[in-house]
Amino acid sequence: MKTLSIDLETFSDIDIGRSGVYRYADSPNFDILLFGYSIDSSPIEVIDIASGEELPEFIIEDLISNETVKTAFNAQFERVCLMKYLSKLLNKPIYLEPSSWRCSEVQAAMLGLPLNLDGVGKVLKLQNQKMSEGKALIRYFCMPCKPTAANGGRMRNLPSDAPEKWEEFKQYNVRDVEVELAIREKLAFYPIRDKEQEFYVLDQRINDRGLLVDMKLVDAAISCDHQFTVAATEKAYELTGLENPNSVSQLKSWLKGRGVEVESLSKKAVSELVEDTEGEVEEALKLRLLMAKTSVKKYEAVERAVSSDGRVHGLFQFYGANRTGRWSGRLVQFQNLPQNHLKDLDLARDLIKESRFEDVEFLFGNTPSVLSELIRTAFIPKENYRFIVADFSAIEARVISHIAGEKWRLEVFSSHGKIYEAAASMMFHVPIENVTKGSPLRQKGKISELACGYGGGVGALKAMGALDMGVEEHELRGLIDNWRAANPHIVNLWWAVDKAAIYAVKQRGKISIHDIIFTYKSGMLFVTLPSGRNLVYVKPKLSINKFGREGLTYEGIGATKKWERIETYGPKIVENIIQAIARDILAEAMLRLQKVGFSIVAHVHDEVICEVPIGKSSVEEVCNIMAEPVAWAKGLPLKADGYECSFYKKD
């Protein structure tokens, strides 16, 4: 089968980093400048479209044909840009099926490598690296320029404006194709598995489909926030007399003058201070919280990203979390939307859309919080459709119980499913009937379940809000000990995984435990999941860790967002494994839903949102499909719950 390797250089007046490739290519001013390609690794050719050259007919045929494999690093960019370009060129809608595309960025991510061409090239130590001059050339030719007297007032640089730079830009285009070819050659022994390619195609179709946006709500929310912020700032000026009431140093001085000394004015610190103050100090702190509310940023992100079809596309990055293979969010960060707890979302939405902002404040109180809770509802189904939302019940808790063989937990999940109550019952040796909803015991069981599954200690309990839930500080250590005593097989799993990983690296060999295979090969530790997919730890080494014992380190993108050496150990590896398995289960479920005709428009970790015609299908049908047994996870009890809605929300 013919393989066409592609790299594009393009122009648009839209900022791709802030708006995404779909909105970028949707601009009337979008154009392709250079089309660099290689057929079956033959010498690289560049078609200089910006200088008047045209795509040859055979290239257009190859792009449209599903019989020709197209490859690129971050292939979504090339595919989306080419769909727009070809639709305009041929004067008819062109859809490029993602099934004939292969993404070398995904292939690299599956081996734990960076999610950018430059980073992959450096880690793989390729002979030809991405040209460092590229960023300046992209700024010059691919983005609008500021009109000045020196450049004749032009708003865009063309090849004729800098012929030498243009020739260098063409060489940059050639180099990118060379680097992509070199990456594919280097990774040839680690091809994308057929199943993962299916998931990638599914992902691309979800991103292509996009989510419809209620722009009336979005525009009104932005307007409301602006009015509210102006009003709150004016109140703060009047109250404090400060030149800039948003200034940390100025507000600290003002507070000090009133007997309140603070180290931090973070949201958490201010929230705690509010409870211990009164009068003008309390009011000033409350105003700071209101002015610092960032709910509108999500609306602004939607506004930037929405395309001419009224939908936001490209919200999901396939294999964005390459430690587990889970999807990550892009643009609006759909995985991190605020929850909604308002009793009457419909009323709140209507009031905002009608610009009745004073009524919102009167009926609901905190306007910024209302806007924050409504951001989910800005995503709506198209006319005569509704959303069916379904999510797996306690998926990670079920998976870890299954892998570890914690029988009492599996029995719970196969019956009533009340894991928080059952955990409390096991931890405190009381009948489960005595653990009622809202009782202190259930709260302790819940917080322990959330914090302790991956080796979490006192810090994890605090981070999960144990103290805010009423647990006393002196109780924390006991909760951890009780949870671990109630779950000995899970605790054993942590340390069995720790030993297996160390053994595989130390012996340069292979070992299998709990249906997980650890293999050291070619300078990498492969952790093969029951699904057959590998988690990969690059250049693993053994060293003395922060616990004072022998532990594993590897290279990857760390907390600094840079490529660095990272420490890990049993419970952390187990967390990666469990989240990866949960991801595979979700991906399988989405594939099943797609195959029977459901249009998935979004997904969040363990949740799927389908756009379904009114009167067709049911919540029960979607939940049943999601909960179907997985062939490679026999005995794993799955359960999905769901609801339908006329705008996206948390039920």
Side-chain angles (χ1 to χ4, degrees), residues 502 505-506 540-554 565-568:
I502 290 172
V505 173
K506 186 180 286 186
K541 289 183 180 178
L542 300 176
S543 62
I544 301 302
N545 61 23
K546 61 185 178 183
F547 303 109
R549 57 176 180 264
E550 189 175 51
L552 189 67
T553 68
Y554 63 96
R565 187 153 286 278
I566 301 167
E567 271 194 13
T568 192

Side-chain angles (χ1 to χ4, degrees), residues 106 135 230 249 295 348 389 413 516 567 638 640:
V106 168
K135 289 183 180 178
V230 168
S249 58
S295 58
V389 183
F413 289 128
I516 312 290
E567 271 194 13
L638 292 174

Side-chain angles (χ1 to χ4, degrees), residues 454-470:
Y454 303 126
V458 168
L461 282 169
K462 288 182 176 179
M464 289 286 183
L467 299 181
D468 297 332
M469 292 171 72

